[in-house]
Amino acid sequence: MTSTERQSRLPNPSLLIPELKDIGGALYRAAGNGSIPQSTISLVQLRAGQLTGSTYLTVLHTGNLRAAGATEEAITALPSWRDAPYFTDAERVALELLEAVLTPNPTGERVPDDLYARATQHYDDKALATLIMAIGQVCFFLPLALIGKPLPGVSPAEQWRA
């Protein structure tokens, strides 16, 4: 199959479920309300793509990070963010929250009180709620990315068959 013959496994989901455009738009607006930097949102969403093995999401959010002005070093070091010198303390706690949500904790709750307390040191209530929405936004689209398997680097309008 040539690159021009490749297509997503799933027909365009917004044609199948027209409400998806409204839901996606609302999530985009909620996460992008300006109370946290776009670069933090993109870091969290790229890391979600890495953790779940979604090439589509990693390509998409790498591009978003570049557009937000992230350095190549920070993008490259994201898998090893815990000891990489490229991230702020606020970004680190955001990444830790994401990983707590997406990975089991065999010794206790996923988001313990001490992690929440550290998050409140960097984010006010609105910013923390926005960060939660940014995590929710990427988690909402994860099944479409993993099951529907859209083509990495190809816009939705260009790739989904009707």
Side-chain angles (χ1 to χ4, degrees):
M1 191 182 298
T2 68
S3 61
T4 58
E5 295 171 331
R6 294 178 19 211
Q7 59 188 21
S8 169
R9 291 196 289 209
L10 182 70
N12 186 338
S14 66
L15 294 178
L16 300 170
I17 313 289
E19 298 84 359
L20 185 59
K21 289 180 182 179
D22 294 333
I23 295 166
L27 287 169
Y28 179 80
R29 288 186 305 276
N33 67 27
S35 65
I36 60 174
Q38 181 58 49
S39 58
T40 301
I41 293 168
S42 294
L43 276 173
V44 165
Q45 294 182 339
L46 172 55
R47 187 69 182 130
Q50 292 171 342
L51 290 171
T52 60
S54 171
T55 302
Y56 177 78
L57 289 175
T58 57
V59 170
L60 173 68
H61 294 299
T62 297
N64 290 346
L65 269 172
R66 286 187 179 116
T71 67
E72 289 302 312
E73 292 84 2
I75 294 168
T76 303
L78 187 56
S80 59
W81 66 267
R82 290 182 187 273
D83 65 356
Y86 306 107
F87 307 103
T88 67
D89 289 342
E91 290 169 337
R92 289 177 192 285
V93 88
L95 291 165
E96 193 172 351
L97 283 169
L98 169 76
E99 290 190 7
V101 167
L102 291 181
T103 56
N105 180 354
T107 62
E109 63 183 319
R110 289 183 187 229
V111 181
D113 290 342
D114 69 310
L115 175 53
Y116 183 84
R118 282 188 285 120
T120 63
Q121 293 173 0
H122 298 283
Y123 299 101
D124 64 21
D125 289 342
K126 182 176 181 177
L128 187 54
T130 301
L131 177 59
I132 293 166
M133 290 300 99
I135 293 169
Q137 178 188 28
V138 74
C139 288
F140 177 81
F141 286 106
L142 272 171
L144 283 172
L146 295 172
I147 298 167
K149 204 172 183 181
L151 299 175
V154 179
S155 76
E158 294 176 42
Q159 72 176 294
W160 272 303
R161 53 190 162 86

